[in-house]
Amino acid sequence: SLYLDYPVTIPEGIEAYTGALDAAEETLTMKTVEGTIPANTAVIVKSATADTYVFKETYTAAAIESNSLKGVTADTDIATLVTAGKTLLTLGTKDGKVAFRKPATGTTQVKANKAYLLVNTPSSEGAKTVKMIFDGETTGISEFTANEDVTNAPLFNLNGQRVNANAKGLLIKNGKKIIIK
């Protein structure tokens, strides 16, 4: 994913897409961006080859409508991006599938120049599915559980080692530092 606060030209060999989330929040329809990416526009970029690409700054780029993707230009705490009733999803790979999903346990920030997606938090305990569709073809499915049992979440010490519930001191639970005396 990519998010920049200035317009850039899309380099040769790169495809860039914006995404429009449907009303039911079940499908993210990806639309190709041609030529340039406007400033402050979150996109998904893909390439047929693993290589280094340079996105050169340009002076003009037409605004893009209907983009559900959002982005940040600096490392940003997730808590500042999420509003009541919303869940934040980031682009990642799990079990070989690239999709938007809840960030890994312990992740507290969206990294600089990355895109994210905000969806309504489901009222049921079941998983929410968002299908990504590129050019009419479903290419990935993202699932996340809305209601995690935070009371029984694992504890970790500052070295990242899992500890039992009897541990004392400065610990990490649900990505937050806590003190247990």
Side-chain angles (χ1 to χ4, degrees), residues 28-103:
L28 185 66
T29 303
M30 309 308 287
K31 183 178 177 187
T32 303
V33 177
E34 301 288 339
T36 58
I37 301 168
N40 303 310
T41 302
V43 295
I44 302 301
V45 292
K46 67 179 191 174
S47 167
T49 60
D51 204 348
T52 301
Y53 296 93
V54 177
F55 289 81
K56 294 183 181 179
E57 187 171 3
T58 186
Y59 295 103
T60 59
I64 294 177
E65 306 273 332
S66 302
N67 187 15
S68 300
L69 299 172
K70 301 179 181 322
V72 294
T73 56
D75 289 358
T76 305
D77 289 337
I78 291 173
T80 64
L81 300 172
V82 177
T83 57
K86 294 289 187 177
T87 297
L88 184 135
L89 308 176
T90 56
L91 190 65
T93 304
K94 182 177 180 182
D95 300 328
K97 293 182 180 179
V98 178
F100 277 95
R101 58 181 39 91
K102 267 184 99 168

Side-chain angles (χ1 to χ4, degrees), residues 124-156:
S124 69
E125 290 187 31
K128 167 101 175 172
T129 302
V130 177
K131 300 173 190 161
M132 292 174 55
I133 301 194
F134 290 85
D135 302 322
E137 180 181 323
T138 303
T139 59
I141 297 176
S142 162
E143 294 184 1
F144 67 93
T145 303
N147 298 332
E148 295 179 10
D149 184 3
V150 296
T151 58
N152 293 323
L155 290 169
F156 298 90

